[in-house]
Amino acid sequence: MPPVNLPYDDIAEQQADLMRLLFPHLCAPLPDGQFILGVLPPPPPAEAVRVVTGPSPQSPAKNLTMWEIPLRRDLDSEDLLGGDEILGLVRALHTGRQIFSSSRLSTVMGMRLVLVDPAQVTPAPPGDGDATTTILRTLTQPWTEDQPDPRLRGYLRRADLLRLYLDRENDPTVIVAADVRPAGAVTALLAALDSLLTEPGKRPGMKDPHCTRLLDLTSW
């Protein structure tokens, strides 16, 4: 049976949905004490998500790991992994010693990139607070298929820096990254973000395969 070809729009939508499902766990430690520092969209048309983990945003890139997790359950299925399933896999990857063949290891942006085979990883069971988080999130942020425009596809936390990956639903292959400072004028920045994303420019010397353009908005 030939593999099912999913429209990239579906993959982009799922990546954006994962952002909403995973962000409540932003500051919750993983089983080994590390943290989720980023959720990134791989270059199109990859049917995957990249989750960055490490000791802290201040850690050097060489101490961080980028886990690339396929979104499809298998090649013959149209079903995509959800937030709870991705979280369970990430937690399992941070439980005990993990061994990967060299063919599944490389480096991206100075971070170790690991290609994960979900069939080889038993997801960790839900944590004690997961059900509470789901209830409170559902009551305060009722689920809707409508996403903001521009749409958040990913983020990466570094020392005093937050990189946002955004797109527009009518063109999900064009992803604009914007570097912002959480300690800056966040309210004004968010209000102006829509117009700022149309400005040309890419910070020289920076290589990020997860975006089409990279904007420096750290002076706000």
Side-chain angles (χ1 to χ4, degrees):
M1 182 177 179
V4 177
N5 292 319
L6 295 179
Y8 185 68
D9 286 359
D10 292 348
I11 300 300
E13 182 178 355
Q14 188 70 358
Q15 291 169 344
D17 285 345
L18 286 172
M19 289 297 310
R20 294 192 284 180
L21 294 169
L22 291 177
F23 84 80
H25 303 278
L26 183 70
C27 297
L30 295 165
D32 62 355
Q34 297 197 44
F35 295 88
I36 294 177
L37 302 177
V39 181
L40 310 178
E47 298 180 345
V49 65
R50 290 178 174 176
V51 180
V52 177
T53 61
S56 76
Q58 288 73 35
S59 301
K62 66 180 181 179
N63 292 344
L64 308 184
T65 301
M66 185 182 294
W67 308 96
E68 180 168 316
I69 303 173
L71 287 178
R72 276 209 270 184
R73 301 180 192 278
D74 56 69
L75 293 178
D76 301 330
S77 173
E78 294 186 12
D79 293 334
L80 300 176
L81 297 180
D84 292 339
E85 293 164 301
I86 295 293
L87 181 61
L89 289 171
V90 172
R91 284 173 172 167
L93 292 166
H94 283 267
T95 303
R97 182 176 175 82
Q98 305 293 330
I99 300 176
F100 299 92
S101 67
S102 58
S103 63
R104 290 189 167 272
L105 302 176
S106 60
T107 302
V108 174
M109 298 168 62
M111 295 176 264
R112 183 178 71 148
L113 174 65
V114 181
L115 304 181
V116 178
D117 181 357
Q120 302 299 317
V121 182
T122 301
D128 294 339
D130 286 356
T132 299
T133 298
T134 299
I135 292 171
L136 297 177
R137 181 184 63 209
T138 302
L139 290 174
T140 57
Q141 298 172 322
W143 190 262
T144 173
E145 292 187 0
D146 295 330
Q147 290 270 8
D149 190 22
R151 175 176 65 177
L152 184 63
R153 288 275 298 279
Y155 74 93
L156 179 62
R157 297 169 63 201
R158 301 301 288 130
D160 192 31
L161 187 73
L162 179 63
R163 180 167 295 179
L164 305 174
Y165 297 83
L166 304 115
D167 75 353
R168 299 189 185 278
E169 289 192 56
N170 61 358
D171 195 356
T173 63
V174 177
I175 300 175
V176 178
D179 282 348
V180 303
R181 296 200 184 282
V186 177
T187 302
L189 171 62
L190 293 178
L193 191 58
D194 187 16
S195 60
L196 291 173
L197 291 179
T198 62
E199 294 184 359
K202 188 167 186 175
R203 185 190 292 184
M206 297 294 291
K207 295 182 179 180
D208 188 340
H210 307 95
C211 62
T212 308
R213 289 191 298 124
L214 177 59
L215 302 179
D216 183 1
L217 304 180
T218 57
S219 59
W220 274 73

